[in-house]
Amino acid sequence: MITADCLRHLPLFSGVPEALLHTAAQDAADVHVNKGEYLIREGDTAAFFVLLDGELAVTKEVAGATQPVDTYRPGDSFGELPLLLGTAATVDLRAQSPVRAMRIEGPEFLTLLAHAEELAGRVLANMSRRVGNLQRVTLDTPQAVTMLVGSADDLHCFGLRDFLSRNQVVFRWLDPASSALTCALPAGVLDGPLPAVVLPGGEVLRQPSVRDVAAQVGLQIEPTLPEYDVVIVGGGPAGLAAAVYGASEGLCTLLIEKEAPGGQAGTSSRIENYLGFPTGLSGGELSARALRQARRFGAEVVTTREVAGIRPGQGTHEMLLDGGTRVRARSVVLTMGVSWRTLPLPGTERFVGRGVWYGAARTEAPGTRGKDVYLIGGGNSAGQAAMFFSNYARRVSILIRADHVEKGMSQYLIDQLRARENVRICECCEVTALHGDSHLRALTVHHSDTGEDEHVETDSLFVLIGADARTDWLGDTLLRDERGYVCSGLDLAPEGVWPLKRDPFPLETSVPGVFVAGDVRRGSVKRVASSVGEGSMSIALVHQYLALATHDRTGAP
């Protein structure tokens, strides 16, 4: 318990009136942390602390490496920087010995500063020193960044660029055609075939596959164990939520993602209706935070690997990965999500990555600077992309087949779009032809309300026309509907495919112990929050299934 006597001898509280000391002690929490544990992790909710006993190491991750910032000892105070700036915690604090600290929440801290002028002066002086420490660490840390050298029109280069950015790998892309970047090109790189990846240590990878690159930049590409409590297939919001909850609740957890964590949501430039983020966040930001959270709890995350099939078994299921790898799973959660629907026009494939993009990742925005950009789609994803691209492009045109944009887009987003001078919403419009040689140069747009065709010049077309389930690899292993979505729970009863006497759990598929969550589930609500909820719920059901399986195997009461 924190008392005024605990604070009276500390230099920070020198000169503070006795009544305020008692108030501060009454408002404070008495926090104890064992050696090796974290008092604060970067991104945590901010609070003000005074260290009473022990020692704390202050570190920050810069350019993918952990850098020392400071060491706190008894009497030191900290936490004022994020509180006064209105941000989350900016560093990690780890106990070097058993620690005791006083914690004061934000509102009480601000009240204390308002009534204790001397204390406020000391806190602001500390804040200035903290800023200097962070600036020193950030600016003085060598920036060992992976470099990707390749042309904007090279599909291989586009694939590598997309893979690195979506996997949160810090890299710099250098286009040999850009004279401004020529001076930054490493010597000799242009003498061989492109694209080339230059690793921080100087090694050059020529025309590498994404799996080759993944292995070199520190991403996990192989499972480390032969068997897991739960194997999650797909790293979208549902899969990441399942990984976080599975690992945090003690399950040996493996997540397998063939491309990049985040799924379709990871390509969204802005998500503004997600609970708890009033100013919105990008799909990439949400995915990156969830990925760090899952790994922090101990989940294994394997990328560039594809699950080719499931062999159901008694007690464990066998997961078949591409390349012949096999992994046993006591339970499985399918969270593959859906894939962007392709544009059904002749010649579309030759323009993908050369003027035509599916989805709208934030990394593509700088490439639209000063251009006339077109988006196809009437949903929120298209509206969010248009809002973001309008910060770069000269004009953004949203092409919608429907006669009213309100049929598919949220009103708050429509209001924002109509307030932007360089955004126009074109209803009753459909792209009927693409034009260009090696790169997209123009579109033919048909206006269904007038019957006229319009020729528009552009080299940037983003397609967001809905998505489909890609579940052919499941074959007849479990029940799917006519569109490929996986059936579960009550969907199984009319089909008579459930093999056990007990009823299936709500998200359980026609194979006991195999669950499905998120957009790939038949009847799901296609929203990020819904997918996160289902992914979390699936782990609760996995626990029930595993407990029931243990009971059946041991006969325990």
Side-chain angles (χ1 to χ4, degrees), residues 101-284:
M102 163 189 174
R103 173 181 173 132
I104 301 179
E105 301 300 330
E108 289 77 16
F109 167 68
L110 295 176
T111 300
L112 185 62
L113 290 190
H115 292 86
E117 186 175 338
E118 290 186 36
L119 174 65
R122 297 186 189 108
V123 167
L124 291 177
N126 279 341
M127 178 178 174
S128 177
R129 184 168 64 87
R130 306 268 191 264
V131 172
N133 287 343
L134 290 175
Q135 184 181 43
R136 171 183 54 79
V137 170
T138 302
L139 296 181
D140 292 350
T141 300
Q143 298 294 310
V145 177
T146 297
M147 286 187 285
L148 171 62
V149 182
S151 170
D153 288 336
D154 187 330
L155 290 183
H156 191 171
C157 180
F158 169 73
L160 292 172
R161 184 158 50 98
D162 184 60
F163 174 78
L164 290 170
S165 63
R166 292 185 62 198
N167 277 279
Q168 315 301 323
V169 177
V170 179
F171 76 103
R172 187 180 184 192
W173 171 41
L174 303 175
D175 188 343
S178 174
S179 58
L181 299 178
T182 303
C183 60
L185 290 172
V189 172
L190 295 181
D191 297 337
L194 299 179
V197 174
V198 184
L199 301 174
E203 182 182 356
V204 180
L205 307 179
R206 298 285 183 183
Q207 297 182 331
S209 68
V210 290
R211 189 171 299 175
D212 292 336
V213 173
Q216 293 296 326
V217 298
L219 299 177
Q220 184 177 344
I221 62 173
E222 293 283 353
T224 62
L225 302 174
E227 181 173 321
Y228 295 83
D229 291 328
V230 57
V231 172
I232 303 160
V233 184
L240 289 170
V244 167
Y245 278 87
S248 67
E249 294 176 10
L251 296 178
C252 184
T253 304
L254 171 67
L255 185 150
I256 303 172
E257 168 56 48
K258 65 179 180 179
E259 294 176 357
Q264 183 184 0
T267 67
S268 177
S269 56
R270 202 74 181 163
I271 302 172
E272 292 195 74
N273 56 2
Y274 191 71
L275 184 67
F277 293 88
T279 59
L281 77 168
S282 73

Side-chain angles (χ1 to χ4, degrees), residues 190-535:
L190 295 181
D191 297 337
L194 299 179
V197 174
V198 184
L199 301 174
E203 182 182 356
V204 180
L205 307 179
R206 298 285 183 183
Q207 297 182 331
S209 68
V210 290
R211 189 171 299 175
D212 292 336
V213 173
Q216 293 296 326
V217 298
L219 299 177
Q220 184 177 344
I221 62 173
E222 293 283 353
T224 62
L225 302 174
E227 181 173 321
Y228 295 83
D229 291 328
V230 57
V231 172
I232 303 160
V233 184
L240 289 170
V244 167
Y245 278 87
S248 67
E249 294 176 10
L251 296 178
C252 184
T253 304
L254 171 67
L255 185 150
I256 303 172
E257 168 56 48
K258 65 179 180 179
E259 294 176 357
Q264 183 184 0
T267 67
S268 177
S269 56
R270 202 74 181 163
I271 302 172
E272 292 195 74
N273 56 2
Y274 191 71
L275 184 67
F277 293 88
T279 59
L281 77 168
S282 73
E285 290 171 322
L286 179 62
S287 303
R289 295 181 185 190
L291 183 60
R292 287 198 302 269
Q293 202 172 9
R295 285 174 171 157
R296 174 182 167 188
F297 285 124
E300 284 190 32
V301 181
V302 169
T303 58
T304 73
R305 301 304 298 271
E306 192 168 0
V307 179
I310 301 176
R311 288 183 179 173
Q314 294 294 327
T316 60
H317 306 297
E318 188 176 50
M319 312 296 292
L320 310 178
L321 277 62
D322 61 337
T325 303
R326 298 170 184 263
V327 174
R328 296 191 303 275
R330 296 179 63 203
S331 64
V332 178
V333 181
L334 302 177
T335 57
M336 297 86 69
V338 291
S339 301
W340 287 112
R341 193 171 297 152
T342 57
L343 193 62
L345 293 175
T348 299
E349 284 304 310
R350 67 190 179 98
F351 291 126
V352 173
R354 296 169 176 166
V356 174
W357 288 270
Y358 291 106
R362 292 171 66 94
T363 51
E364 301 303 327
T368 67
R369 192 182 306 275
K371 297 180 178 180
D372 287 345
V373 176
Y374 287 78
L375 294 93
I376 306 177
N380 281 0
S381 295
Q384 290 155 355
M387 284 296 299
F388 187 70
F389 287 168
S390 68
N391 297 318
Y392 297 84
R394 182 176 65 178
R395 187 174 67 175
V396 179
S397 301
I398 308 176
L399 307 179
I400 304 171
R401 286 195 299 180
D403 55 355
H404 291 93
V405 66
E406 287 82 0
K407 290 183 177 180
M409 193 179 294
S410 297
Q411 190 61 49
Y412 80 90
L413 199 48
I414 297 171
D415 293 340
Q416 291 179 9
L417 291 169
R418 287 177 172 161
R420 289 288 177 103
E421 293 183 356
N422 64 333
V423 174
R424 61 172 185 160
I425 300 173
C426 307
E427 298 163 334
C428 301
C429 289
E430 182 177 2
V431 175
T432 55
L434 307 177
H435 307 285
D437 36 35
S438 62
H439 198 284
L440 180 69
R441 299 301 175 198
L443 314 172
T444 297
V445 179
H446 177 71
H447 296 263
S448 60
D449 53 346
T450 65
E452 297 179 353
D453 288 334
E454 179 186 7
H455 181 87
V456 298
E457 294 186 357
T458 184
D459 63 359
S460 299
L461 175 66
F462 294 88
V463 182
L464 304 97
I465 55 174
D468 294 316
R470 302 282 192 263
T471 57
D472 292 344
W473 62 274
L474 288 170
D476 296 328
T477 304
L478 44 79
L479 183 66
R480 298 175 294 146
D481 68 10
E482 65 280 358
R483 298 176 58 196
Y485 290 90
V486 179
C487 300
S488 63
L490 295 177
D491 292 337
L492 306 177
E495 305 296 332
V497 295
W498 181 246
L500 303 182
K501 291 183 179 180
R502 70 168 175 86
D503 292 334
F505 292 113
L507 301 179
E508 197 167 17
T509 70
S510 57
V511 175
V514 178
F515 298 82
V516 61
D519 288 357
V520 76
R521 183 181 66 83
R522 182 179 185 270
S524 65
V525 178
K526 304 300 188 286
R527 290 290 185 272
V528 173
S530 174
S531 293
V532 170
E534 288 190 12

